[in-house]
PDB file of all heavy atoms in Angstrom:
ATOM      1  N   LEU A 524      -6.661 -10.811   1.262  1.00 98.00           N
ATOM      2  CA  LEU A 524      -7.228  -9.482   1.130  1.00 98.00           C
ATOM      3  C   LEU A 524      -6.912  -8.936  -0.256  1.00 98.00           C
ATOM      4  O   LEU A 524      -5.848  -9.212  -0.817  1.00 98.00           O
ATOM      5  CB  LEU A 524      -6.660  -8.544   2.191  1.00 98.00           C
ATOM      6  CG  LEU A 524      -6.781  -9.003   3.650  1.00 98.00           C
ATOM      7  CD1 LEU A 524      -6.241  -7.910   4.569  1.00 98.00           C
ATOM      8  CD2 LEU A 524      -8.206  -9.351   4.000  1.00 98.00           C
ATOM      9  N   SER A 525      -7.843  -8.153  -0.774  1.00 98.00           N
ATOM     10  CA  SER A 525      -7.658  -7.490  -2.055  1.00 98.00           C
ATOM     11  C   SER A 525      -7.924  -6.006  -1.892  1.00 98.00           C
ATOM     12  O   SER A 525      -8.728  -5.598  -1.049  1.00 98.00           O
ATOM     13  CB  SER A 525      -8.615  -8.057  -3.115  1.00 98.00           C
ATOM     14  OG  SER A 525      -8.428  -9.434  -3.305  1.00 98.00           O
ATOM     15  N   CYS A 526      -7.261  -5.219  -2.713  1.00 97.00           N
ATOM     16  CA  CYS A 526      -7.492  -3.774  -2.703  1.00 97.00           C
ATOM     17  C   CYS A 526      -7.409  -3.282  -4.141  1.00 97.00           C
ATOM     18  O   CYS A 526      -6.334  -3.306  -4.737  1.00 97.00           O
ATOM     19  CB  CYS A 526      -6.470  -3.073  -1.833  1.00 97.00           C
ATOM     20  SG  CYS A 526      -6.644  -1.276  -1.784  1.00 97.00           S
ATOM     21  N   PHE A 533      -1.430   3.123 -11.327  1.00 88.00           N
ATOM     22  CA  PHE A 533      -1.160   2.119 -10.302  1.00 88.00           C
ATOM     23  C   PHE A 533       0.247   1.559 -10.405  1.00 88.00           C
ATOM     24  O   PHE A 533       0.911   1.351  -9.389  1.00 88.00           O
ATOM     25  CB  PHE A 533      -2.195   0.999 -10.422  1.00 88.00           C
ATOM     26  CG  PHE A 533      -2.068  -0.064  -9.368  1.00 88.00           C
ATOM     27  CD1 PHE A 533      -2.612   0.133  -8.110  1.00 88.00           C
ATOM     28  CD2 PHE A 533      -1.412  -1.256  -9.631  1.00 88.00           C
ATOM     29  CE1 PHE A 533      -2.505  -0.830  -7.132  1.00 88.00           C
ATOM     30  CE2 PHE A 533      -1.296  -2.228  -8.663  1.00 88.00           C
ATOM     31  CZ  PHE A 533      -1.850  -2.018  -7.407  1.00 88.00           C
ATOM     32  N   VAL A 538       2.786   0.140  -2.946  1.00 96.00           N
ATOM     33  CA  VAL A 538       1.545  -0.336  -2.343  1.00 96.00           C
ATOM     34  C   VAL A 538       1.849  -1.000  -1.009  1.00 96.00           C
ATOM     35  O   VAL A 538       2.908  -1.631  -0.845  1.00 96.00           O
ATOM     36  CB  VAL A 538       0.810  -1.317  -3.276  1.00 96.00           C
ATOM     37  CG1 VAL A 538       0.359  -0.607  -4.539  1.00 96.00           C
ATOM     38  CG2 VAL A 538       1.708  -2.505  -3.637  1.00 96.00           C
ATOM     39  N   TRP A 540       0.118  -2.565   3.020  1.00 98.00           N
ATOM     40  CA  TRP A 540      -0.949  -2.906   3.952  1.00 98.00           C
ATOM     41  C   TRP A 540      -0.520  -2.508   5.356  1.00 98.00           C
ATOM     42  O   TRP A 540       0.630  -2.757   5.762  1.00 98.00           O
ATOM     43  CB  TRP A 540      -1.254  -4.408   3.915  1.00 98.00           C
ATOM     44  CG  TRP A 540      -1.920  -4.864   2.664  1.00 98.00           C
ATOM     45  CD1 TRP A 540      -1.313  -5.365   1.545  1.00 98.00           C
ATOM     46  CD2 TRP A 540      -3.332  -4.863   2.394  1.00 98.00           C
ATOM     47  NE1 TRP A 540      -2.260  -5.676   0.599  1.00 98.00           N
ATOM     48  CE2 TRP A 540      -3.496  -5.381   1.091  1.00 98.00           C
ATOM     49  CE3 TRP A 540      -4.467  -4.485   3.116  1.00 98.00           C
ATOM     50  CZ2 TRP A 540      -4.756  -5.523   0.498  1.00 98.00           C
ATOM     51  CZ3 TRP A 540      -5.707  -4.633   2.523  1.00 98.00           C
ATOM     52  CH2 TRP A 540      -5.849  -5.145   1.237  1.00 98.00           C
ATOM     53  N   ILE A 574       2.648 -10.210   0.116  1.00 97.00           N
ATOM     54  CA  ILE A 574       2.028  -9.110  -0.619  1.00 97.00           C
ATOM     55  C   ILE A 574       2.346  -9.287  -2.097  1.00 97.00           C
ATOM     56  O   ILE A 574       3.458  -9.680  -2.459  1.00 97.00           O
ATOM     57  CB  ILE A 574       2.511  -7.742  -0.094  1.00 97.00           C
ATOM     58  CG1 ILE A 574       1.713  -6.615  -0.744  1.00 97.00           C
ATOM     59  CG2 ILE A 574       4.014  -7.573  -0.287  1.00 97.00           C
ATOM     60  CD1 ILE A 574       2.001  -5.241  -0.129  1.00 97.00           C
ATOM     61  N   SER A 575       1.367  -8.998  -2.929  1.00 95.00           N
ATOM     62  CA  SER A 575       1.575  -9.102  -4.373  1.00 95.00           C
ATOM     63  C   SER A 575       0.696  -8.072  -5.065  1.00 95.00           C
ATOM     64  O   SER A 575      -0.171  -7.462  -4.438  1.00 95.00           O
ATOM     65  CB  SER A 575       1.246 -10.515  -4.870  1.00 95.00           C
ATOM     66  OG  SER A 575      -0.116 -10.829  -4.631  1.00 95.00           O
ATOM     67  N   ARG A 576       0.929  -7.896  -6.352  1.00 93.00           N
ATOM     68  CA  ARG A 576       0.162  -6.907  -7.097  1.00 93.00           C
ATOM     69  C   ARG A 576      -0.121  -7.408  -8.500  1.00 93.00           C
ATOM     70  O   ARG A 576       0.662  -8.186  -9.051  1.00 93.00           O
ATOM     71  CB  ARG A 576       0.913  -5.571  -7.143  1.00 93.00           C
ATOM     72  CG  ARG A 576       2.227  -5.633  -7.885  1.00 93.00           C
ATOM     73  CD  ARG A 576       3.057  -4.363  -7.644  1.00 93.00           C
ATOM     74  NE  ARG A 576       2.418  -3.185  -8.185  1.00 93.00           N
ATOM     75  CZ  ARG A 576       2.780  -1.940  -7.856  1.00 93.00           C
ATOM     76  NH1 ARG A 576       3.732  -1.749  -6.966  1.00 93.00           N
ATOM     77  NH2 ARG A 576       2.154  -0.911  -8.389  1.00 93.00           N
ATOM     78  N   ASP A 577      -1.203  -6.945  -9.062  1.00 93.00           N
ATOM     79  CA  ASP A 577      -1.549  -7.199 -10.453  1.00 93.00           C
ATOM     80  C   ASP A 577      -1.782  -5.837 -11.076  1.00 93.00           C
ATOM     81  O   ASP A 577      -2.851  -5.238 -10.908  1.00 93.00           O
ATOM     82  CB  ASP A 577      -2.796  -8.081 -10.548  1.00 93.00           C
ATOM     83  CG  ASP A 577      -3.141  -8.463 -11.971  1.00 93.00           C
ATOM     84  OD1 ASP A 577      -2.724  -7.746 -12.916  1.00 93.00           O
ATOM     85  OD2 ASP A 577      -3.842  -9.469 -12.159  1.00 93.00           O
ATOM     86  N   SER A 581      -4.902  -3.244 -11.436  1.00 94.00           N
ATOM     87  CA  SER A 581      -4.743  -2.176 -10.437  1.00 94.00           C
ATOM     88  C   SER A 581      -5.138  -2.657  -9.054  1.00 94.00           C
ATOM     89  O   SER A 581      -5.877  -1.983  -8.310  1.00 94.00           O
ATOM     90  CB  SER A 581      -5.578  -0.943 -10.824  1.00 94.00           C
ATOM     91  OG  SER A 581      -5.109  -0.388 -12.027  1.00 94.00           O
ATOM     92  N   THR A 582      -4.656  -3.818  -8.703  1.00 95.00           N
ATOM     93  CA  THR A 582      -5.055  -4.461  -7.455  1.00 95.00           C
ATOM     94  C   THR A 582      -3.822  -4.959  -6.693  1.00 95.00           C
ATOM     95  O   THR A 582      -2.892  -5.491  -7.303  1.00 95.00           O
ATOM     96  CB  THR A 582      -6.011  -5.630  -7.727  1.00 95.00           C
ATOM     97  OG1 THR A 582      -7.186  -5.134  -8.396  1.00 95.00           O
ATOM     98  CG2 THR A 582      -6.438  -6.309  -6.429  1.00 95.00           C
ATOM     99  N   VAL A 583      -3.861  -4.787  -5.399  1.00 96.00           N
ATOM    100  CA  VAL A 583      -2.832  -5.315  -4.517  1.00 96.00           C
ATOM    101  C   VAL A 583      -3.486  -6.355  -3.609  1.00 96.00           C
ATOM    102  O   VAL A 583      -4.640  -6.198  -3.210  1.00 96.00           O
ATOM    103  CB  VAL A 583      -2.147  -4.203  -3.702  1.00 96.00           C
ATOM    104  CG1 VAL A 583      -3.143  -3.398  -2.893  1.00 96.00           C
ATOM    105  CG2 VAL A 583      -1.066  -4.772  -2.788  1.00 96.00           C
ATOM    106  N   TYR A 584      -2.737  -7.404  -3.314  1.00 97.00           N
ATOM    107  CA  TYR A 584      -3.253  -8.506  -2.512  1.00 97.00           C
ATOM    108  C   TYR A 584      -2.391  -8.719  -1.270  1.00 97.00           C
ATOM    109  O   TYR A 584      -1.207  -8.372  -1.249  1.00 97.00           O
ATOM    110  CB  TYR A 584      -3.253  -9.806  -3.330  1.00 97.00           C
ATOM    111  CG  TYR A 584      -4.021  -9.731  -4.615  1.00 97.00           C
ATOM    112  CD1 TYR A 584      -3.370  -9.472  -5.821  1.00 97.00           C
ATOM    113  CD2 TYR A 584      -5.398  -9.918  -4.641  1.00 97.00           C
ATOM    114  CE1 TYR A 584      -4.067  -9.411  -7.020  1.00 97.00           C
ATOM    115  CE2 TYR A 584      -6.106  -9.849  -5.829  1.00 97.00           C
ATOM    116  CZ  TYR A 584      -5.435  -9.590  -7.012  1.00 97.00           C
ATOM    117  OH  TYR A 584      -6.139  -9.520  -8.190  1.00 97.00           O
ATOM    118  N   LEU A 585      -2.993  -9.303  -0.256  1.00 98.00           N
ATOM    119  CA  LEU A 585      -2.249  -9.753   0.913  1.00 98.00           C
ATOM    120  C   LEU A 585      -2.733 -11.157   1.245  1.00 98.00           C
ATOM    121  O   LEU A 585      -3.862 -11.333   1.717  1.00 98.00           O
ATOM    122  CB  LEU A 585      -2.450  -8.824   2.111  1.00 98.00           C
ATOM    123  CG  LEU A 585      -1.603  -9.171   3.335  1.00 98.00           C
ATOM    124  CD1 LEU A 585      -0.114  -8.915   3.025  1.00 98.00           C
ATOM    125  CD2 LEU A 585      -2.022  -8.363   4.554  1.00 98.00           C
ATOM    126  N   CYS A 600      -5.370  -0.853   3.107  1.00 98.00           N
ATOM    127  CA  CYS A 600      -4.415  -0.743   2.012  1.00 98.00           C
ATOM    128  C   CYS A 600      -4.062   0.734   1.813  1.00 98.00           C
ATOM    129  O   CYS A 600      -4.864   1.614   2.114  1.00 98.00           O
ATOM    130  CB  CYS A 600      -4.962  -1.346   0.726  1.00 98.00           C
ATOM    131  SG  CYS A 600      -6.528  -0.648   0.152  1.00 98.00           S
ATOM    132  N   LEU A 602      -1.533   3.485  -0.814  1.00 96.00           N
ATOM    133  CA  LEU A 602      -0.725   3.685  -2.006  1.00 96.00           C
ATOM    134  C   LEU A 602      -0.081   5.069  -1.982  1.00 96.00           C
ATOM    135  O   LEU A 602      -0.632   6.020  -1.412  1.00 96.00           O
ATOM    136  CB  LEU A 602      -1.576   3.577  -3.275  1.00 96.00           C
ATOM    137  CG  LEU A 602      -1.887   2.221  -3.864  1.00 96.00           C
ATOM    138  CD1 LEU A 602      -2.854   1.456  -3.003  1.00 96.00           C
ATOM    139  CD2 LEU A 602      -2.409   2.375  -5.278  1.00 96.00           C
TER     140      LEU A 602
END
Side-chain angles (χ1 to χ4, degrees):
L524 306 183
S525 301
C526 179
F533 183 82
V538 295
W540 290 93
I574 188 172
S575 62
R576 64 192 295 165
D577 184 337
S581 296
T582 300
V583 57
Y584 304 97
L585 185 68
C600 57
L602 277 71

